[in-house]
């Protein structure tokens, strides 16, 4: 995703009450979604907060895929970045619970994994970037803030 564009990805939200489809929207500065009628946004996937009265995200999982162009040896190919965000229970009065993000890039018949990252999206993506072959890189500017 480039910093100048707005992207939207289909995904799933799951918690103790069940699962439902969601859309995640990112514009390079903010990430947004609606879950069970409540709007959430934040500077990163792991810090989504309600924009109005509504419940905090806690003890839940969000999953989505991002199409990701990759330049491998001068040839651009389409890859898929699978994202799994686990938001753990928040302690009473705590500003947020523990967030764990796991990314998997599927590209050219291989899978590159970030492992579980307690930090943000960029840190997880950097872990994957370091695993790519020397002649392979992400095409374009990737998610400035998210």
């Amino acid at each position: 995703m480039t910093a100048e564009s707005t992207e939207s990805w289909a995904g799933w939200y799951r918690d103790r009450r069940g699962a439902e489809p969601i859309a995640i929207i990112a514009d390079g500065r903010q990430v947004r979604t609606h879950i069970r009628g409540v709007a959430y946004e934040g500077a990163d996937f792991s810090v989504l907060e309600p924009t109005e009265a509504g419940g905090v995200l806690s003890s839940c999982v969000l999953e989505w895929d991002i199409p990701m162009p990759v330049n491998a040896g001068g040839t651009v190919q389409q890859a898929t970045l699978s994202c799994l965000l686990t938001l753990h229970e928040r302690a009473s009065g705590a500003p947020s619970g523990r967030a764990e993000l796991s990314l998997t890039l599927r590209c050219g018949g291989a899978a590159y994994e970030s492992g579980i990252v307690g930090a943000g999206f960029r840190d997880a993506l950097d872990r994957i970037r370091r695993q790519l072959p020397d002649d392979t890189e992400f095409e374009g500017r990737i998610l400035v803030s998210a």
Side-chain angles (χ1 to χ4, degrees), residues 3-146:
E4 299 82 24
S5 66
T6 298
E7 299 282 337
S8 177
W9 309 292
W12 285 94
Y13 170 82
R14 291 180 176 82
D15 66 8
R16 291 180 188 117
R17 293 175 42 201
E20 70 175 59
I22 59 171
I24 297 174
I25 300 162
D27 64 11
R29 293 180 304 276
Q30 292 286 314
V31 178
R32 295 175 183 84
T33 191
H34 281 81
I35 300 169
R36 297 191 177 122
V38 177
Y40 295 88
E41 71 177 41
D44 194 298
F45 296 104
S46 61
V47 292
L48 291 169
E49 294 291 337
T51 60
E52 52 207 42
V56 296
L57 294 177
S58 177
S59 299
C60 61
V61 173
L62 287 85
E63 296 179 79
W64 68 100
D65 288 337
I66 300 175
M68 182 80 63
V70 174
N71 187 327
T75 303
V76 176
Q77 57 184 312
Q78 194 61 23
T80 300
L81 185 67
S82 296
C83 309
L84 174 65
L85 175 64
T86 302
L87 299 172
H88 293 275
E89 189 73 36
R90 287 187 180 196
S92 180
S96 65
R98 188 179 69 190
E100 294 177 345
L101 178 64
S102 177
L103 304 180
T104 302
L105 179 71
R106 289 178 180 79
C107 175
Y112 304 93
E113 297 185 4
S114 68
I116 295 175
V117 179
F121 184 83
R122 294 182 78 159
D123 291 336
L125 199 57
D126 282 343
R127 284 186 177 191
I128 289 175
R129 184 178 283 125
R130 290 190 299 266
Q131 297 172 46
L132 296 175
D134 290 337
D135 66 344
T136 304
E137 59 189 34
F138 297 119
E139 187 73 8
R141 290 175 38 188
I142 307 298
L143 294 166
V144 171
S145 179

